[in-house]
Amino acid sequence: MDSENTTYKALQEVLNTLEIDRKKIAETYKTCYILFGLAALILAIGLLIRFPMLAFFGALVPLVIGVVMYFQIQDEVKKYKFVYKTNVVSSALKEINETFSITPQSGLPEYEFVSSELFTTEPDRYKTQDLISGTADKTAFWFAEVHAEYKTETHTKNGTKTTWHTIFKGIIFVADFNKKFEVSTVVRPKGVGDAIGAWFSKNVFSFGNSELVHLENTIFDEIFVTYSRNQIEARYILTPAMMERILELNKKSEDTISLSFIDSKMYIAFPLSHNYFEAPIHSSLLVPDLLTDDLSIVQFMQDIVHELDLNTRIWGKG
């Protein structure tokens, strides 16, 4: 009990200190926004009364001051966010699972994102952060936020226009199965493209050197399309019980999940729009529900181990 009180007091001290930093940053941002608004107002009034030069130079002063203030505070913002994650979020994670740790500047490596075979497009721009790792009983697992994009270029009379498209934005969860799979098995949401690909796989040729796997669970086959280079192993992994668990897990996700079983790992991609584990700037740190949403997603990720019964080792070390 004493150690719990000591931990709580230490965390409260960190939050109190960070709250002072947060208020300073929030006030600076507020001042910047006021200066930007003032610059826009001066410019609008100057153009309205037909004094463009006066409007331009009058607006330039608050604009420059606002930009300088904004960039000067960025180092403090980075420090504030880093301390929040390494001290506050890290301590809260330990309450869920003592083995949990967070590494804010790490994530899922790009080569692993590609080799997971969850997506058919390789990224041209890739960002990842907030790697959280831990174990549940015998199963080691980790997950991180990922934003992967590809670009298209259009040639116009004004030059080349680059457009960025999201391949995936959300959390990718990885669990160690403790056994190397012989081949890869991939389960993706069944969209129009996948339906066409599945038809070709069945009727013309194997898709990406993988064959379409028809499974006994019709609901599963309606939602997902499954490819594998080994039909027997795919069915060994995707047992009736496992498919039911995946369907239950999918119901709890915002959008349809994707899964792959490659080497000795299982990958699950959860499309999410929310950015987790970020320190608030314009709202207080000293509120009881500060980390409610963040911890709920962490609990959700840990529950996957139990939802999919990953601790029941039908794959022992071979």
Side-chain angles (χ1 to χ4, degrees):
M1 186 65 73
D2 288 339
S3 62
E4 286 183 10
N5 288 335
T6 303
T7 303
Y8 176 78
K9 286 179 181 177
L11 181 59
Q12 208 56 44
E13 285 178 16
V14 171
L15 284 170
N16 290 335
T17 303
L18 280 175
E19 178 66 6
I20 295 168
D21 296 336
R22 184 200 68 78
K23 285 181 178 178
K24 179 186 174 183
I25 293 165
E27 284 299 318
T28 302
Y29 276 161
K30 184 179 177 181
T31 303
C32 290
Y33 301 149
I34 291 170
L35 288 168
F36 295 151
L38 182 60
L41 184 63
I42 292 170
L43 188 64
I45 292 172
L47 292 173
L48 193 65
I49 62 175
R50 297 182 181 178
F51 282 100
M53 290 299 290
L54 181 64
F56 175 76
F57 286 110
L60 196 60
V61 175
L63 181 64
V64 169
I65 294 171
V67 169
V68 169
M69 286 180 68
Y70 183 86
F71 282 102
Q72 280 183 338
I73 199 71
Q74 289 312 301
D75 284 342
E76 291 186 41
V77 173
K78 287 179 183 176
K79 182 182 175 183
Y80 162 72
K81 289 182 175 182
F82 182 77
V83 172
Y84 174 81
K85 288 181 180 180
T86 54
N87 289 16
V88 179
V89 176
S90 180
S91 295
L93 290 176
K94 298 289 184 187
E95 296 297 314
I96 296 176
N97 184 328
E98 188 60 37
T99 68
F100 271 146
S101 65
I102 182 170
T103 313
Q105 294 166 328
S106 293
L108 187 79
E110 186 175 349
Y111 74 83
E112 194 167 11
F113 175 87
V114 174
S115 65
S116 73
E117 298 185 27
L118 289 167
F119 309 98
T120 55
T121 306
E122 290 196 17
D124 295 309
R125 186 162 65 187
Y126 185 83
K127 295 177 184 175
T128 182
Q129 63 175 354
D130 297 337
L131 176 68
I132 294 176
S133 56
T135 57
D137 295 333
K138 299 174 184 176
T139 302
F141 64 96
W142 54 99
F143 54 94
E145 292 184 59
V146 168
H147 188 195
E149 300 167 284
Y150 72 93
K151 66 179 178 181
T152 55
E153 292 182 342
T154 309
H155 299 287
T156 66
K157 62 181 181 180
N158 298 320
T160 303
K161 181 185 176 184
T162 301
T163 307
W164 290 95
H165 312 269
T166 293
I167 300 169
F168 174 76
K169 187 176 190 298
I171 289 176
I172 293 184
F173 172 95
V174 190
D176 183 7
F177 254 101
N178 205 33
K179 176 172 174 66
K180 188 175 176 67
F181 301 117
E182 293 298 322
V183 299
S184 61
T185 296
V186 181
V187 179
R188 294 198 189 102
K190 184 175 279 186
V192 174
D194 284 313
I196 294 168
W199 185 89
F200 274 105
S201 175
K202 181 183 177 184
N203 296 282
V204 185
F205 56 84
S206 63
F207 183 74
N209 200 29
S210 294
E211 294 180 355
L212 178 71
V213 181
H214 288 290
L215 298 161
E216 291 73 22
N217 190 316
T218 53
I219 298 173
F220 192 90
D221 267 357
E222 284 173 7
I223 298 172
F224 301 106
V225 59
T226 305
Y227 296 102
S228 181
R229 295 180 179 89
N230 186 322
Q231 296 271 334
I232 295 171
E233 185 175 74
R235 287 181 171 82
Y236 187 56
I237 295 167
L238 296 167
T239 62
M242 176 65 93
M243 284 188 285
E244 286 295 337
R245 291 186 184 108
I246 290 171
L247 287 170
E248 285 302 311
L249 186 65
N250 188 59
K251 287 178 185 177
K252 298 175 183 177
S253 179
E254 285 184 15
D255 290 301
T256 309
I257 62 178
S258 302
L259 306 93
S260 63
F261 303 84
I262 294 173
D263 293 331
S264 62
K265 298 171 185 172
M266 178 187 70
Y267 297 87
I268 310 178
F270 294 91
L272 297 166
S273 54
H274 184 72
N275 195 11
Y276 289 90
F277 317 118
E278 294 302 318
I281 299 290
H282 300 290
S283 58
S284 176
L285 291 169
L286 307 178
V287 291
D289 61 345
L290 173 66
L291 288 163
T292 301
D293 290 340
D294 291 349
L295 295 183
S296 67
I297 196 70
V298 173
Q299 186 67 57
F300 176 77
M301 293 296 150
Q302 176 173 261
D303 288 346
I304 291 169
V305 177
H306 304 293
E307 293 272 354
L308 300 185
D309 198 21
L310 302 186
N311 279 314
T312 300
R313 298 275 164 163
I314 61 170
W315 299 277
K317 268 220 183 277

